Amino acid sequence: MSLLVIAEHDNAALKAVTLNTVAAAQKIGGEIHVLVAGSGCAAVAAAAAKIAGVSKVKLADAAHYADQTAENLAALVQANAAGYSHILAAATGGGKNLLPRVAALLDVAQISEITAVESPDTFVRPTYAGNAMATVKSADAVKVITVRSTGFDPVAAEGGSAAVEAVAAAADLGLAKMTGREITKSARPELGAAKVIVSGGRGMGSGENYHKLLEPLADKLNAALGASRAAVDAGFVPNDYQVGQTGKIVAPQLYFAIGISGAIQHLAGMKDSKVIVAINKDEDAPIFQVADYGLVADLFQAVPELIAELG
Amino acid sequence: MKILVPVKRVVDYNVKVRVKADGTGVDLANVKMSMNPFDEIAIEEAVRLREAGIAKEVIAVSCGVAACQETLRTAMAIGADRSILVESDVDLQPLAVAKLIKAVAAKEQPQIVIFGKQAIDDDANQTGQMFAALMGWPQATFASKVVVSGDTASVTREIDGGAETLEFKLPMVITTDLRLNEPRYATLPNIMKAKKKQLDVLKPADLGVDVTPRLTTLKVSEPPKRGAGIKVADVKDLVAKLKNEAKVI
Amino acid sequence: MSAYTPPLKDMQFVLRELAGIDKVAQLPGYEDASPDLVDSILEEAGKFAGGVLAPLNWSGDQEGASWKDKAVTMPAGFKAAYTQFAEAGWNGLSCDAAYGGQGLPKLVSAAVQEMWKASNMAFSLCPLLTLGAIEALHLSGSDQQKSTYLPNMIAGKWTGTMNLTEPQAGSDLAAIRSRAVPQGDGTYKIFGQKIFITYGDHDMAENIVHLVLARTPNAPEGVKGISLFVVPKFLVNADGSLGARNDAYCVSIEHKLGIHASPTCVMAFGDNGGAIGTMVGQENAGLKYMFIMMNAARFAVGLEGVALSERAYQHALAYAKERIQGRDIAGSAASVAIVHHPDIRRMLMQMKSLNEAMRALAYTVAAAHDAAARHPDEAERKRNQAYVDLMIPVVKGWLTETSNELTYLGVQIHGGMGFVEETGAAQHQRDARITTIYEGTTGIQANDLIGRKIAREGGATIKAVIGLMRQTEAELAQQPGAEFAVIKTALGKGITAVSEAADYIVANYGNDIRAVSVGAVPFLKLLGIVAGGWQMARAALVAQAKIAANDKDPFYPAKIATTRFYADHVLSTAAGLAHAVVHGGAGGMALDVAMF
């Protein structure tokens, strides 16, 4: 049994999520091949060849793969699909764009964002925004799968020595033409849309402390800055920082509550966050009741330490 | 130009779904159903293209049970001109829906088909791409901006860490991301007019499409419960747990 | 701030099963109102209420309307929301299609209005007052007045006000002193000051159409000398465009306990030479026109009662499920959400059961109003009109009094946090406070009920209603199970209480009006509680039939359980109220004024 993993890359470097996809392929079991399709992407193929557990790298190097458009890539994957029981890609914007198209060309179902492998034809995937985990079994001859990277620990990037084999490019379909690409500069994200939020409360003591301590932490985490009502009332930060019942309701992946006691009105604004970290010197502070990780400490020591530890 | 907009009836996004105790699925009995939010964005975009004089007609199409008619009425209240229900009690999976829409497209000959990027029930994010593959059309997925001029469209797509803009030749598929537009609220006169708009009902067999499911759901379970919070010893411990246990940094 | 989700399921249940939307849709002119269209309307109205109006409720309360240089500025977001509201056509839902409305029945309008009021009571008063003015002009205006004003008012481009009250003329409008001086060209100049004018000025619409009560020269004293005038903020040119600014200004706004975003204006007419207006209908008939409209206005205020109670209930319920405090009273390892505590449960059930009863009562009265207006059979029209006339003071008085009790419970469930404004529970209680006062206090409603609606006709209508209630009681007796036995007994005792109290009123109103009037408000509450219980019993019977037909929807067993709670906790108070009516007159008037 052979599996084909579609490499994620930008023509210059292999993206780390490919390692998680390979890990999922290993869980399924079989000989793992990686397809690198791009333009001037020999270095990517070389990197893919070193991934632990990969036995062959197929390289399709052509100008019309430079922009990774799904139309051309899907045709290439279809042309190279013979002999593979599984075709996998990371559940990234690129993988989610490409694989359903591949599946339809092969007249098979696609299995989205698996988080676990039960057997070569049975997988676990989240539905209803992660509120229900479905175990699904495929009846198709070829399983076309996108892999959620958080479900699989990455394999080692080094240690393999796969052969790189050039494969012929498929025809350029000419269906889509790139006219511009813009990668967002890492300006501080908006409070409502941020994946990470660092919030400070009355425990910060002053606006000066708030900015001096929390801004570097937020920069490290590419986080938005928030505050409790008490910090806003005390004039540390403006109104639009407020998280809570009468401020913004947020649900980031990671929420830091620093020097926030956890009044019910604040909790109402952030309790749906995926992971909550609380740093407070009062070990009875109600914020610890909702925190996944509580650190009882003086924030003036803990926050600089945290910044240093994050590197 | 005609624009076809497939819409799906799903559990309302405000509803907190419950997994059934026997693990056969989520409990949908007596749960409020609504139009998939990404599909509302799709209808809105299509209606705007018609209002801008680019499209002549917007046709909403839904595949599923008879109650999907309500969803189509909602689409027509927002502004779709007419609609088509492909009625089936089978669990319709993305590939089957893509094939049904292909059969509808063969009759209607739309130049643009706008899908929501994913449905908030199965979170598959597949149907638009599959339909594009079956038609041999280009696919502008996860669109945040659409500009149509003549027989080409320039679409800005959301990609990881930014956006890219591509030019496509019609006919084509667009799938909508959240930032594409903010759907309007239906007006009362349009709600009343929607009731009188044309709604045709077809069966998969009429379209010659085999809709047999390819995936079987063996089990549905609750996601792992959030463990009771713990106190960490120090900053080192905290960072290690965030990295290795919670995997959020 | 709190979210508002319209209780669509209960609304649809009441519309279909208790108020008979299918029958209303058979009335001439209401053919459009099919149940599935009504479902769509409620669905979309609910989205608008929850998505646009509800988010402005708290911010509007905190910021309030403000006044400067004779002009009112609305809180942030209100103007945009109003524009959206008008452009979506919601304002014209129940208005005449000939002037651009949708001509939908009162029953549909009632459910939709409940949503506006619940999502943002202060906002909802603007379209409410506009509707009142539209109705007055539609009923009594000349063709020219109608074509000048109605299309823009129905479209929501212009709003309306009702200018009745003056500093010395509140509940007693006979004391009105504003003057209207004929100019010989068909117009009048209006002079006078009006107070408590809701949305007398604001910045949400391009024109405001004031309807003003005033006296013409040599008009008879008292209520028989009052005429109605239409006085626009900006005069309207012959081509329909807006002309000169009229001499009608807001000279201050009140600082109130609640509905802070709704500007309550002091209006000065004619301080700079006279406000130009035209007479609506016949001279000296102004108060008669007001009375025709009064049923609609009082009904609408009654709906505010159930709307605010529903909002307070949703707010309290969300908190009760979230707030962890204390162990389960019967023992638990860990602390539990307060919703597990029996007293919190009782308060939530009190709110839930009364909300459902109030909604059922109000919507069934709305359906009767539709039948009274449109039924092809004159006897049916008359019968329904008599029921509406009887129940309007009950809907107004009982729903608003009850909403004060229920919004109070909403705060109570929050504990200390309820007393903190930021929590938002207090706003519902403050907003509810006005509802028992304006459009006629509860005392005025109750006097209307026992006097004009019961004593004057010898209790004919209420006896007929009691007969219908007894039929429901008999149906309850046919049902199996302990719950129905409890409901049947409680309703039966409640009906008896109403019957005895009504008999007492009919027998004694003529010879001891003071003693009977002491019991007016207790009787109004008694009739409300029992009429609400009657509707809950009908709901339980429908639920039982659904269950018997193997419908597994948990809504139905919940409806029966809620009715049972209502029987034990609410209907059980009927006998006490009846006692107060029948025996309480003497004690009420025993002390001489000097003895207070």
Side-chain angles (χ1 to χ4, degrees):
Chain A
M1 192 166 79
S2 307
L3 304 87
L4 183 66
V5 170
I6 317 292
E8 177 114 358
H9 65 89
D10 59 3
N11 293 317
L14 185 73
K15 295 271 171 71
V17 284
T18 310
L19 305 176
N20 305 78
T21 313
V22 170
Q26 274 187 345
K27 283 260 167 67
I28 296 166
E31 198 174 311
I32 299 171
H33 298 179
V34 173
L35 174 67
V36 176
S39 175
C41 55
V44 176
K50 288 188 198 145
I51 299 173
V54 172
S55 60
K56 190 190 279 183
V57 173
K58 292 188 168 182
L59 170 62
D61 201 323
H64 59 274
Y65 299 133
D67 298 325
Q68 302 286 305
T69 52
E71 296 81 355
N72 281 334
L73 284 184
L76 176 72
V77 176
Q78 183 189 19
N80 287 279
Y84 292 108
S85 58
H86 296 74
I87 298 172
L88 302 96
T92 55
K96 291 195 273 195
N97 188 28
L98 173 62
L99 280 211
R101 188 166 182 116
V102 169
L105 292 176
L106 299 173
D107 192 28
V108 298
Q110 197 244 284
I111 306 154
S112 295
E113 306 214 25
I114 65 162
T115 56
V117 173
E118 300 263 295
S119 77
D121 65 0
T122 304
F123 312 92
V124 179
R125 58 175 305 264
T127 59
Y128 293 94
N131 288 309
M133 305 301 290
T135 306
V136 296
K137 183 181 162 88
S138 166
D140 286 318
V142 186
K143 282 75 175 166
V144 179
I145 297 166
T146 59
V147 175
R148 190 176 270 203
S149 61
T150 50
F152 301 90
D153 291 330
V155 298
E158 303 283 337
S161 56
V164 177
E165 174 190 301
V167 295
D172 181 2
L173 299 172
L175 290 173
K177 195 176 88 198
M178 178 80 59
T179 55
R181 178 175 284 179
E182 195 178 330
I183 301 303
T184 317
K185 304 276 182 300
S186 66
R188 185 152 292 141
E190 263 182 89
L191 195 49
K195 291 206 163 81
V196 182
I197 293 173
V198 172
S199 272
R202 188 165 15 218
M204 302 308 302
S206 71
E208 196 187 331
N209 289 340
Y210 178 98
H211 292 292
K212 196 176 69 194
L213 286 165
L214 298 191
E215 275 177 7
L217 178 60
D219 289 344
K220 273 268 167 355
L221 296 161
N222 190 29
L225 282 169
S228 69
R229 185 189 163 102
V232 171
D233 279 354
F236 299 174
V237 287
N239 259 326
D240 55 357
Y241 278 54
Q242 190 189 328
V243 171
Q245 188 142 18
T246 51
K248 292 214 168 54
I249 312 281
V250 300
Q253 294 291 306
L254 177 57
Y255 188 91
F256 282 88
I258 300 176
I260 291 176
S261 63
I264 194 99
Q265 290 89 350
H266 186 73
L267 301 185
M270 44 65 81
K271 66 181 162 47
D272 291 331
S273 305
K274 187 156 172 269
V275 174
I276 297 170
V277 173
I279 302 177
N280 203 302
K281 65 182 174 198
D282 172 10
E283 67 176 313
D284 293 326
I287 191 75
F288 287 123
Q289 289 174 8
V290 300
D292 299 277
Y293 300 107
L295 175 61
V296 180
D298 180 354
L299 67 93
F300 295 100
Q301 284 171 14
V303 173
E305 265 185 65
L306 182 57
I307 294 165
E309 189 67 24
L310 290 168
Chain B
M1 177 201 304
K2 282 186 196 172
I3 300 180
L4 196 64
V5 184
V7 296
K8 186 174 184 184
R9 180 173 180 267
V10 298
V11 171
D12 187 83
Y13 72 102
N14 283 316
V15 172
K16 268 198 181 158
V17 295
R18 278 199 203 125
V19 172
K20 284 197 236 172
D22 63 3
T24 55
V26 298
D27 195 352
L28 296 181
N30 308 304
V31 165
K32 180 169 158 52
M33 306 294 279
S34 296
M35 191 193 299
N36 181 41
F38 289 104
D39 302 348
E40 277 189 38
I41 296 173
I43 289 281
E44 174 69 31
E45 195 65 19
V47 171
R48 287 184 190 188
L49 287 168
R50 190 196 59 212
E51 287 168 348
I54 290 162
K56 279 240 151 45
E57 190 179 29
V58 175
I59 306 156
V61 50
S62 191
C63 303
V65 296
C68 294
Q69 293 198 21
E70 291 166 23
T71 314
L72 290 169
R73 293 284 173 211
T74 305
M76 292 190 287
I78 297 172
D81 298 288
R82 62 186 169 91
S83 57
I84 299 164
L85 170 64
V86 183
E87 191 181 330
S88 169
D89 293 331
V90 176
D91 162 35
L92 294 175
Q93 294 178 350
L95 184 61
V97 175
K99 288 177 179 179
L100 292 171
I101 305 288
K102 183 186 176 196
V104 172
K107 291 188 173 198
E108 298 290 346
Q109 298 289 319
Q111 287 292 291
I112 303 178
V113 181
I114 309 180
F115 291 80
K117 78 164 179 183
Q118 74 190 72
I120 61 167
D121 50 2
D122 63 13
D123 286 331
N125 192 336
Q126 298 173 6
T127 312
Q129 294 91 312
M130 287 181 152
F131 169 81
L134 298 177
M135 300 297 284
W137 289 4
Q139 61 186 54
T141 51
F142 324 146
S144 60
K145 190 180 174 198
V146 172
V147 181
V148 178
S149 52
D151 61 351
T152 62
S154 170
V155 178
T156 304
R157 308 176 54 235
E158 309 240 325
I159 57 172
D160 298 331
E164 63 182 28
T165 304
L166 297 100
E167 225 169 73
F168 302 91
K169 205 165 153 16
L170 304 187
M172 68 176 297
V173 166
I174 295 169
T175 80
T176 63
D177 218 318
L178 273 183
R179 270 191 278 191
L180 180 58
N181 61 50
E182 197 178 321
R184 69 193 68 186
Y185 291 94
T187 68
L188 179 60
N190 282 346
I191 296 165
M192 298 187 65
K193 274 184 215 143
K195 193 160 175 268
K196 298 184 175 111
K197 289 181 180 172
Q198 183 183 344
L199 194 165
D200 298 315
V201 181
L202 305 171
K203 301 276 180 186
D206 303 336
L207 298 168
V209 175
D210 174 12
V211 295
T212 313
R214 304 293 186 89
L215 298 178
T216 318
T217 299
L218 303 180
K219 183 179 79 176
V220 175
S221 56
E222 299 262 1
K225 280 252 160 38
R226 182 169 177 156
I230 54 163
K231 294 263 169 74
V232 294
D234 52 28
V235 167
K236 268 196 170 36
D237 187 17
L238 172 63
V239 172
K241 290 224 159 54
L242 289 177
K243 274 192 175 137
N244 305 325
E245 196 175 89
K247 293 184 179 150
V248 283
I249 56 172
Chain C
M1 195 174 75
S2 69
Y4 168 66
T5 309
L8 286 177
K9 188 122 195 177
D10 197 53
M11 288 176 160
Q12 283 162 346
F13 174 82
V14 175
L15 285 171
R16 278 170 202 246
E17 307 294 347
L18 304 181
I21 183 68
D22 52 336
K23 292 218 172 58
V24 171
Q26 287 166 12
L27 296 170
Y30 288 154
E31 295 85 356
D32 274 346
S34 62
D36 57 334
L37 175 70
V38 172
D39 282 351
S40 308
I41 291 172
L42 296 189
E43 178 93 14
E44 299 298 329
K47 283 184 201 165
F48 191 89
V52 178
L53 301 181
L56 296 173
N57 192 43
W58 162 259
S59 59
D61 176 72
Q62 292 301 293
E63 186 184 344
S66 57
W67 178 89
K68 197 183 167 196
D69 298 335
K70 297 189 179 176
V72 171
T73 303
M74 293 297 291
F78 273 61
K79 183 176 178 172
Y82 182 79
T83 305
Q84 219 178 335
F85 178 86
E87 285 175 355
W90 291 116
N91 203 56
L93 186 137
S94 59
C95 300
D96 188 346
Y99 295 98
Q102 295 297 339
L104 286 164
K106 179 116 179 161
L107 177 55
V108 179
S109 167
V112 172
Q113 284 204 36
E114 185 193 322
M115 295 185 198
W116 307 149
K117 294 163 189 295
S119 58
N120 195 325
M121 159 98 160
F123 176 94
S124 75
L125 292 172
C126 185
L128 175 66
L129 268 292
T130 305
L131 277 186
I134 289 169
E135 196 169 344
L137 286 168
H138 193 259
L139 217 62
S140 326
S142 65
D143 285 346
Q144 197 190 339
Q145 283 168 334
K146 288 185 200 176
S147 62
T148 302
Y149 295 108
L150 288 183
N152 279 327
M153 292 176 78
I154 288 171
K157 281 177 74 181
W158 298 352
T159 67
T161 69
M162 305 299 289
N163 291 250
L164 282 63
T165 307
E166 297 177 8
Q168 76 295 342
S171 296
D172 179 14
L173 291 172
I176 280 176
R177 284 206 299 255
S178 287
R179 295 179 298 124
V181 182
Q183 301 299 298
D185 61 354
T187 69
Y188 290 77
K189 279 195 171 175
I190 313 291
F191 301 90
Q193 195 185 72
K194 295 285 179 177
I195 61 168
F196 295 162
I197 308 311
T198 302
Y199 279 91
D201 195 50
H202 60 82
D203 56 5
M204 303 197 297
E206 62 184 33
N207 201 7
I208 301 173
V209 180
H210 303 292
L211 292 187
V212 185
L213 288 182
R215 292 180 185 281
T216 50
N218 310 316
E221 284 297 304
V223 293
K224 292 197 165 68
I226 297 170
S227 304
L228 181 65
F229 298 87
V230 54
V231 184
K233 177 177 175 180
F234 288 97
L235 298 172
V236 182
N237 298 323
D239 65 356
S241 62
L242 293 185
R245 179 71 164 88
N246 207 352
D247 186 10
Y249 289 95
C250 170
V251 292
S252 74
I253 61 173
E254 308 296 344
H255 302 273
K256 312 185 294 288
L257 176 62
I259 52 169
H260 290 157
S262 166
T264 302
C265 300
V266 176
M267 296 297 298
F269 293 90
D271 278 2
N272 306 293
I276 296 167
T278 54
M279 189 182 282
V280 179
Q282 300 295 311
E283 191 167 359
N284 296 332
L287 220 50
K288 189 181 85 187
Y289 302 142
M290 288 294 115
F291 270 106
I292 299 172
M293 286 171 44
M294 209 167 272
N295 268 356
R298 290 180 169 178
F299 177 81
V301 174
L303 279 178
E304 289 170 2
V306 62
L308 288 165
S309 303
E310 173 68 34
R311 183 79 184 263
Y313 169 67
Q314 291 186 14
H315 207 144
L317 177 61
Y319 184 82
K321 283 180 168 176
E322 227 165 61
R323 172 70 169 166
I324 312 280
Q325 196 74 188
R327 305 291 158 104
D328 190 306
I329 200 164
S332 67
S335 295
V336 295
I338 61 172
V339 70
H340 293 283
H341 300 325
D343 186 54
I344 300 286
R345 218 43 105 68
R346 174 192 63 79
M347 290 191 278
L348 288 170
M349 283 303 289
Q350 187 87 3
M351 296 180 88
K352 177 177 159 65
S353 65
L354 274 157
N355 284 347
E356 291 179 14
M358 291 193 289
R359 180 173 299 118
L361 181 63
Y363 291 12
T364 50
V365 170
H369 181 279
D370 287 325
R374 297 277 175 100
H375 203 284
D377 177 11
E378 196 193 338
E380 272 300 294
R381 287 201 301 274
K382 274 196 170 149
R383 191 182 66 77
N384 279 288
Q385 188 61 50
Y387 179 67
V388 170
D389 289 341
L390 175 73
M391 294 312 286
I392 286 289
V394 179
V395 169
K396 201 285 181 183
W398 180 59
L399 269 60
T400 59
E401 289 286 334
T402 304
S403 86
N404 276 274
E405 296 168 15
L406 299 185
T407 54
Y408 158 94
L409 288 181
V411 171
Q412 190 70 13
I413 288 167
H414 283 80
M417 286 304 165
F419 199 61
V420 174
E421 282 287 0
E422 190 190 3
T423 306
Q427 185 193 350
H428 310 312
Q429 194 179 2
R430 289 189 284 98
D431 284 354
R433 194 60 196 86
I434 186 61
T435 61
T436 62
I437 298 170
Y438 61 12
E439 280 306 329
T441 61
T442 310
I444 286 184
Q445 305 304 321
N447 286 343
D448 177 48
L449 175 65
I450 63 165
R452 294 178 61 231
K453 308 295 174 61
I454 292 182
R456 195 159 81 180
E457 58 165 38
T461 304
I462 195 163
K463 281 177 186 153
V465 172
I466 286 169
L468 295 173
M469 290 178 174
R470 290 285 185 208
Q471 283 175 23
T472 302
E473 186 194 353
E475 281 178 62
L476 291 169
Q478 308 300 313
Q479 305 305 316
E483 279 167 324
F484 277 97
V486 169
I487 297 166
K488 190 244 163 220
T489 305
L491 182 65
K493 287 181 180 171
I495 300 167
T496 302
V498 169
S499 180
E500 286 173 4
D503 287 347
Y504 165 81
I505 289 166
V506 171
N508 295 285
Y509 193 82
N511 55 43
D512 196 356
I513 189 167
R514 283 207 177 92
V516 175
S517 298
V518 167
V521 169
F523 179 75
L524 178 145
K525 290 184 177 177
L526 167 61
L527 183 51
I529 284 167
V530 175
W534 173 36
Q535 296 305 332
M536 287 300 280
R538 290 182 62 216
L541 288 167
V542 173
Q544 179 65 23
K546 298 275 183 190
I547 292 167
N550 212 22
D551 193 323
K552 300 284 185 216
D553 193 337
F555 179 85
Y556 299 117
K559 186 61 97 174
I560 294 173
T562 306
T563 305
R564 190 229 168 106
F565 177 93
Y566 188 95
D568 284 329
H569 288 255
V570 183
L571 271 176
S572 57
T573 64
L577 288 165
H579 181 98
V581 175
V582 176
H583 304 287
M589 296 304 290
L591 295 194
D592 197 74
V593 172
M595 293 165 78
F596 280 94

